[in-house]
Amino acid sequence: MHLVSLVVFEEYSIAAAAAVLRLTPGAAKTRMHRARQRMKNALQGTQPAPISTTPVLEGERS
């Protein structure tokens, strides 16, 4: 998640984000590819979006 945030929102290059996160550039590229694929599949409805495991307390539902 931090990798995606750095690359997408902070506009770091994948290599720069990899250095910040102490990853190899190859590992960062692989993780970005997989994250983009998961987001694409979730948006297309081909796989369910992950469900939060954080319990929702009474009165906090949105």
Side-chain angles (χ1 to χ4, degrees), residues 1-36:
M1 186 64 164
H2 295 286
L3 178 63
V4 174
S5 295
L6 288 173
V7 173
V8 175
F9 299 115
E10 301 296 329
E11 299 181 356
Y12 280 57
S13 67
I14 292 178
V20 168
L21 298 172
R22 297 182 185 179
L23 299 171
T24 64
K29 287 178 186 179
T30 298
R31 290 181 186 195
M32 278 301 297
H33 172 75
R34 290 177 182 166
R36 286 178 176 137

Side-chain angles (χ1 to χ4, degrees), residues 40-60:
K40 177 183 173 185
N41 290 341
L43 290 170
Q44 290 178 340
T46 56
Q47 73 183 32
I51 298 172
S52 173
T53 58
T54 305
V56 176
L57 301 175
E58 190 64 32
E60 289 189 6

